[in-house]
Amino acid sequence: MCVPAVFVAMGATPATAATLAAVSQVGLIVGGTMMSVNAQRRAMAYQSMQYATQQKAYKDKADSESLRTLMDENDRKKRYFAQISENRALLSTSGTTADSASYRAFFKAGKEVVKTDLQKIKLMGTERRLAALYGVQQAGLASQAASSAGKAGIYASVGRGLMSGYGIAKETKPSWFTLKG
């Protein structure tokens, strides 16, 4: 804290010493406020970077879920075609022909099962992808909230600094502070 006596000892008049002390105290407050604001800005930038990284991770997960669903569908189709080949081979050894009703009914039932399986695979894949996309949305909202909170903190720091400076200026009443009306 700057004391006017220091400035008097340096050769200033008491009135000038009080003004210089007030100005130096306000300068210290401004410096501290700016350091606080800069720290808050860096923290905001770091949080934004974290949330952006989190959003990218969720987006990548959504993309991987789409690929996983496609791979699961293809795997199910491959198994179906392998089963068809195996079943045709088994039925041909039993003497059943492709024209028989039982042959057509058997393969029609298998086809319906595969359609149902593929629908379930698509539905589960869509559900997993939407969950990941929900994470993208939540990370975006959290980023916006952190930004707003950071800005509010900066405004609060500046306000506290201004109020501290005002109190010092009001207390010392330098000539440049008084309002003439």
Side-chain angles (χ1 to χ4, degrees):
M1 187 185 260
C2 296
V3 181
V6 172
F7 293 107
V8 171
M10 293 171 54
T13 64
T16 305
T19 301
L20 291 173
V23 168
S24 62
Q25 285 178 338
V26 169
L28 289 172
I29 290 170
V30 167
T33 300
M34 291 310 297
M35 287 172 48
S36 176
V37 165
N38 286 334
Q40 288 170 331
R41 281 190 181 140
R42 282 191 302 276
M44 255 180 17
Y46 179 73
Q47 279 186 325
S48 293
M49 184 179 64
Q50 281 182 314
Y51 287 122
T53 302
Q54 194 176 39
Q55 276 185 304
K56 184 177 179 342
Y58 279 122
K59 186 181 179 321
D60 290 347
K61 181 164 176 56
D63 292 343
S64 72
E65 289 299 341
S66 293
L67 291 173
R68 177 180 168 193
T69 300
L70 186 61
M71 289 170 45
D72 288 349
E73 287 178 55
N74 289 337
D75 183 51
R76 181 60 181 110
K77 288 175 187 176
K78 282 181 188 176
R79 284 187 290 131
Y80 171 67
F81 290 126
Q83 286 173 340
I84 285 179
S85 297
E86 186 179 317
N87 289 337
R88 281 187 180 147
L90 288 173
L91 289 173
S92 69
T93 59
S94 69
T96 307
T97 65
D99 294 337
S100 73
S102 62
Y103 182 90
R104 286 191 302 270
F106 177 75
F107 284 104
K108 184 178 180 182
K111 192 173 188 176
E112 292 302 317
V113 168
V114 169
K115 279 184 180 179
T116 303
D117 287 352
L118 289 174
Q119 287 174 341
K120 287 178 182 177
I121 289 169
K122 284 180 184 179
L123 186 61
M124 288 187 306
T126 301
E127 185 177 318
R128 289 189 307 261
R129 185 171 190 277
L130 288 176
L133 290 175
Y134 179 74
V136 171
Q137 182 184 33
Q138 291 302 307
L141 291 174
S143 176
Q144 290 174 350
S147 177
S148 294
K151 287 177 185 175
I154 288 171
Y155 296 146
S157 293
V158 170
R160 281 190 302 274
L162 289 172
M163 291 308 295
S164 296
Y166 174 79
I168 291 168
K170 186 177 176 186
E171 182 181 313
T172 58
K173 296 182 184 171
S175 60
W176 50 267
F177 183 74
T178 56
L179 298 174
K180 297 177 182 167

